[in-house]
Amino acid sequence: KDVFDRGINPATKKKKIKNEGLQLHVVEDVGEAVSRNISGAQLLHELLSAPWLRALLKVFHKFFVDAMHWTRANCPSPDALELYNLLSSPHIQGATIRRDEETGDIYIARVIHGGLADRSGLLHPGDLLVEVNGNSVLGLEPEKVIHILVGLQDKGLFMVSVYMRAMVDYYPLQDSSIPCPDAGMAFSRGDLLEVVDQSDAQWWQARKVPCGASFAGLIPSASTLRSKQREQWWCHPSQVHTCIRPSGFRRSFRLWRRTSYKRRRQSCTSCTPSTNALATPYEEVALYQRLPQENHRLIILIGASGVGVNELRKRLIKLNPSTFQGPVPHTTRPMRDGEQAGREYHFVTKELFEYMVCNHRFVEYGESKGHLYGTSIDAIHDVLKRGRMCIIDVEPPSIHFLRSRTLKPYVIFIKAPGPECLRQSRRNARIITGYAVNRAFTDDFLELEEMSQLIEAKCKQYFDSVVVNDDLQDACMQLCSIIQQAQNEPQWIPVCWLTSSQQM
Ligand SMILES: Nc1ncnc2c1ncn2[C@@H]1O[C@H](COP(=O)(O)OP(=O)(O)OP(=O)(O)O)[C@@H](O)[C@H]1O
């Protein structure tokens, strides 16, 4: 990677990755090994980066791309066909496999950009390889699996497990249409499901992950669930989404003026994305491991107002300011003594602010004391581009806006402890209200807990982790270790963040 990066501007680099996908993947891996001082990696890196090999791989890639368009009628020659068959080993067809040393399961490790597997759209990193042409490969040595795959040439029928995140709740015992309620599997939003059989268009078979059960249960297919949702929507059309953006007025953006939770609930949380009557019932996910040269994932903290989201965010940044950073908000208020443009705020005119609103540049924005404040998507990118971990706290509806391939957000729900624990731990806590600054935080605990439960119930399909904020120091330490894992260990993310060209 180092070799390719040198002297290549971003546009050229993009093109190179496309043209030389296979080689780049390998060189990247070896480059990583070089930085870890693995014996022999330097020599291998130099060999793989040699111009003659680059040229050879380019020819090879071109040959393969052309071969994809051959038909019986336009195949250039029998020699070309023979060469194509010779080169069509499973690795070259575009996917590599690896074995989990603990379970013995065989997974798709990598899908080579532009290869057959990539073009088919059927295989994704993290998919579990279950069968090849009806023969189980579970527990086999990878070499054995490769042997079977080599024998297939390009006529293989793979059966891979697909992993899906449930975005809705399902109870088979309440579903009169299920063929056999006892064989059904209940799940709730946020559950990770390993779908092992999709051969039936209406009913799939799946297991929960991590799972104890060795047998699968019956779940409705995506289209079956969607038609159920449509039926429900016609029966209860008043449940349709009514949330009005912009939503965010958290105090952490120096905006939120505390009103009754009940008022907020009516206007916002009851209308979280999950109540959208025709929501996507399942989201396909795959394991993703951030590469060292990639931007960090955006860290989003979500929680009921007053639970301590902002306090935790500030503490994290104070604990390690060279690693964690928040985005610099924009404001139309004049700069005060001691403030510096771009440090406390980006100071902008009302016209520019409104232009940014029209162009959807703000994640959240609002007005306080006659001035506009907002946090822009560009400010988030600025932090990430500097190699820092960007931490933000937002209102639940804003998650949708931030869920993108470029930001790959990792969402942590800050959960309220029980009211008694709140009363004990928040004895000295203060809140800022619309009419009194630093009001003692006394009778809000029940409402706060209620709100916290509501957010969890409505949005848990978007949460990657949950931290209960009982003791501030414990919660802060937990957050640190969760964030490190989120950045450095494999995590389940939507497949579209890996493959689509969705951009913010
Ligand atoms: N675990 C805790 N123990 C004691 N006090 C806490 C704890 N967590 C937060 N607090 C205090 O509770 C008050 C509210 O916290 P914070 O300002 O972080 O709320 P918030 O969730 O960001 O809500 P808002 O967005 O409305 O500000 C602060 O005074 C904070 O110091």
Side-chain angles (χ1 to χ4, degrees):
K1 175 189 178 293
D2 299 342
V3 174
F4 285 118
D5 267 356
R6 222 175 292 142
I8 294 175
N9 72 31
T12 333
K13 196 174 147 200
K14 227 179 188 172
K15 202 170 156 220
K16 281 209 167 292
I17 290 172
K18 217 174 160 190
N19 288 340
E20 299 168 22
L22 173 63
Q23 189 192 10
L24 255 188
H25 274 297
V26 179
V27 177
E28 264 171 15
D29 282 1
V30 179
E32 213 186 295
V34 172
S35 63
R36 284 191 275 130
N37 280 335
I38 292 177
S39 159
Q42 182 65 42
L43 180 65
L44 187 56
H45 192 257
E46 277 164 20
L47 275 174
L48 289 174
S49 311
W52 66 266
L53 186 60
R54 279 177 63 172
L56 184 65
L57 283 172
K58 208 164 189 167
V59 172
F60 171 75
H61 184 81
K62 173 91 176 61
F63 174 82
F64 249 76
V65 170
D66 288 348
M68 288 307 298
H69 304 291
W70 291 349
T71 60
R72 228 176 251 281
N74 75 0
C75 175
S77 70
D79 286 350
L81 193 61
E82 193 186 338
L83 188 59
Y84 176 79
N85 286 337
L86 192 70
L87 294 172
S88 302
S89 82
H91 178 95
I92 293 159
Q93 283 181 8
T96 60
I97 57 174
R98 73 177 165 79
R99 191 172 68 154
D100 184 313
E101 288 309 324
E102 267 177 37
T103 60
D105 289 342
I106 305 276
Y107 287 94
I108 301 295
R110 167 176 294 128
V111 175
I112 306 298
H113 182 92
L116 273 184
D118 186 24
R119 277 190 293 266
S120 76
L122 292 173
L123 297 182
H124 303 288
D127 283 351
L128 175 65
L129 204 53
V130 180
E131 279 178 16
V132 178
N133 275 1
N135 300 316
S136 169
V137 295
L138 296 177
L140 292 188
E141 291 293 320
E143 292 72 25
K144 188 96 202 234
V145 178
I146 287 176
H147 189 74
I148 298 173
L149 294 172
V150 169
L152 290 174
Q153 295 290 347
D154 56 352
K155 295 180 279 295
L157 177 67
F158 298 80
M159 187 170 141
V160 291
S161 288
V162 176
Y163 291 88
M164 306 258 188
R165 175 91 51 206
M167 306 305 275
V168 293
D169 302 324
Y170 176 70
Y171 306 100
L173 297 179
Q174 292 174 9
D175 182 1
S176 55
S177 68
I178 188 166
C180 170
D182 289 339
M185 184 179 75
F187 56 82
S188 47
R189 63 191 71 179
D191 283 349
L192 183 60
L193 308 175
E194 179 191 356
V195 182
V196 292
D197 186 346
Q198 287 180 296
S199 51
D200 186 309
Q202 291 194 317
W203 296 95
W204 293 344
Q205 292 180 40
R207 282 191 286 249
K208 276 188 206 163
V209 179
C211 67
S214 55
F215 51 88
L218 219 51
I219 61 167
S221 69
S223 61
T224 305
L225 261 186
R226 245 184 245 114
S227 51
K228 284 181 194 301
Q229 285 177 321
R230 264 193 295 271
E231 273 166 32
Q232 264 171 19
W233 187 84
W234 283 111
C235 299
H236 311 280
S238 59
Q239 281 181 7
V240 78
H241 190 68
T242 54
C243 182
I244 301 160
R245 285 189 59 85
S247 56
F249 294 94
R250 293 194 72 87
R251 197 152 48 83
S252 40
F253 286 122
R254 292 140 177 94
L255 295 171
W256 172 246
R257 287 152 163 240
R258 185 176 293 265
T259 51
S260 156
Y261 283 117
K262 287 188 181 120
R263 267 182 57 195
R264 294 184 68 203
R265 202 168 75 179
Q266 279 163 15
S267 68
C268 183
T269 311
S270 62
C271 300
T272 52
S274 62
T275 53
N276 183 341
L278 304 176
T280 311
Y282 302 112
E283 185 172 68
E284 191 180 346
V285 290
L287 273 178
Y288 161 75
Q289 164 82 68
R290 190 185 70 87
L291 295 172
Q293 66 273 18
E294 283 180 318
N295 277 350
H296 287 106
R297 297 181 63 182
L298 171 67
I299 303 294
I300 301 181
L301 305 184
I302 291 279
S305 182
V307 74
V309 174
N310 188 33
E311 180 74 41
L312 285 167
R313 193 181 67 96
K314 282 191 301 192
R315 281 180 179 235
L316 277 177
I317 294 172
K318 204 168 155 201
L319 204 67
N320 202 341
S322 57
T323 305
F324 301 126
Q325 202 181 320
V328 177
H330 283 64
T331 182
T332 58
R333 82 151 164 76
M335 201 188 317
R336 292 182 187 148
D337 284 349
E339 288 182 334
Q340 196 180 309
R343 190 177 64 191
E344 285 80 12
Y345 291 98
H346 294 292
F347 296 95
V348 293
T349 58
K350 198 164 179 238
E351 289 70 32
L352 179 56
F353 197 101
E354 281 166 355
Y355 176 80
M356 290 175 71
V357 170
C358 291
N359 285 286
H360 310 286
R361 299 321 296 163
F362 287 115
V363 179
E364 294 187 338
Y365 68 94
E367 190 179 333
S368 175
K369 297 183 181 158
H371 300 297
L372 295 165
Y373 295 81
T375 295
S376 73
I377 196 77
D378 301 322
I380 293 174
H381 282 296
D382 281 348
V383 175
L384 296 172
K385 268 189 249 155
R386 264 181 269 140
R388 305 260 174 91
M389 292 187 206
C390 184
I391 306 189
I392 60 167
D393 56 313
V394 293
E395 291 288 338
S398 305
I399 300 178
H400 251 343
F401 184 62
L402 292 164
R403 294 186 94 230
S404 70
R405 182 172 170 258
T406 42
L407 295 173
K408 295 189 177 63
Y410 186 94
V411 181
I412 306 174
F413 176 56
I414 307 297
K415 185 173 172 154
E420 195 42 46
C421 178
L422 276 173
R423 202 164 279 122
Q424 284 296 320
S425 59
R426 269 65 165 184
R427 265 184 309 221
N428 302 319
R430 319 288 298 171
I431 54 166
I432 298 173
T433 71
Y435 41 89
V437 174
N438 274 352
R439 180 165 70 81
F441 185 164
T442 46
D443 299 323
D444 299 315
F445 300 132
L446 272 179
E447 274 189 4
L448 196 159
E449 205 213 357
E450 199 191 331
M451 187 67 173
S452 182
Q453 286 172 356
L454 201 72
I455 294 177
E456 187 174 20
K458 300 275 178 193
C459 303
K460 66 180 173 187
Q461 65 274 32
Y462 301 112
F463 301 162
D464 294 288
S465 280
V466 176
V467 170
V468 178
N469 182 18
D470 38 18
D471 178 79
L472 261 177
Q473 210 173 342
D474 285 356
C476 205
M477 289 300 119
Q478 265 189 61
L479 267 181
C480 273
S481 88
I482 288 173
I483 292 172
Q484 289 303 335
Q485 281 171 20
Q487 306 289 9
N488 303 324
E489 291 176 18
Q491 307 288 338
W492 294 100
I493 65 167
V495 161
C496 63
W497 293 0
L498 292 170
T499 54
S500 82
S501 56
Q502 169 203 3
Q503 299 278 337
M504 288 221 78

